[in-house]
Amino acid sequence: MTTVNHVKNAYRRLLKVERRRFANDPQVLAAAQKQTRSEFDNNRTQTDEKKIQKLLKHAANVEEVIRRYVVQAPRSKVQANTYNIKFTSEHALRDRHPIIIKSSLQKIKDGAEPKD
């Protein structure tokens, strides 16, 4: 596969993961896609193979962060100060990274002092 094809594939994968992850937030989706297009356009004339490989690695890392660590959490329409979080099988739940459900704001509301 040529370098041009690798670049096109990285671009498509980024746009695809952005569409999936930000599907319910058109403003964030538009901003993410604008940033992706801008970054790829800014490096369109790059000819140094090492620099291109570095940029492709960066694109792959960004894709992984969006895919595994970004969660949409819309505000609940039923309960005040509550957000609905929907995890998918792509999220990093299997990586043994702790996911903290109760925030320090919730602890303050419950009457406990947050620990720093």
Side-chain angles (χ1 to χ4, degrees), residues 54-71:
K54 186 177 177 182
L55 290 167
L56 285 172
K57 184 170 177 62
H58 178 71
N61 290 339
V62 170
E63 176 196 354
E64 182 177 4
V65 166
I66 292 171
R67 184 173 42 82
R68 296 174 57 100
Y69 300 105
V70 173
V71 179

Side-chain angles (χ1 to χ4, degrees), residues 2 6 20 25 31-34 37 39 46 49 63 82 88 90 92-93 95 111 116:
T2 67
H6 284 293
R20 273 198 329 254
D25 196 340
Q33 290 181 333
K34 181 179 178 181
R37 287 185 189 103
E39 291 295 326
Q46 185 60 250
E49 190 65 32
E63 176 196 354
T82 304
T88 68
E90 290 181 320
L93 299 174
D95 290 349
D116 290 353

Side-chain angles (χ1 to χ4, degrees), residues 33-100:
Q33 290 181 333
K34 181 179 178 181
Q35 179 69 29
T36 298
R37 287 185 189 103
S38 174
E39 291 295 326
F40 275 81
D41 282 344
N42 289 343
N43 293 292
R44 183 180 295 272
T45 58
Q46 185 60 250
T47 56
D48 181 14
E49 190 65 32
K50 287 184 181 181
K51 176 73 172 169
I52 292 171
Q53 292 306 316
K54 186 177 177 182
L55 290 167
L56 285 172
K57 184 170 177 62
H58 178 71
N61 290 339
V62 170
E63 176 196 354
E64 182 177 4
V65 166
I66 292 171
R67 184 173 42 82
R68 296 174 57 100
Y69 300 105
V70 173
V71 179
Q72 289 286 290
R75 187 181 297 247
S76 173
K77 294 178 182 171
V78 178
Q79 190 174 2
N81 298 323
T82 304
Y83 294 84
N84 299 316
I85 300 174
K86 182 179 178 184
F87 294 106
T88 68
S89 61
E90 290 181 320
H91 285 104
L93 299 174
R94 295 172 268 145
D95 290 349
R96 297 188 188 115
H97 294 293
I99 295 178
I100 301 169

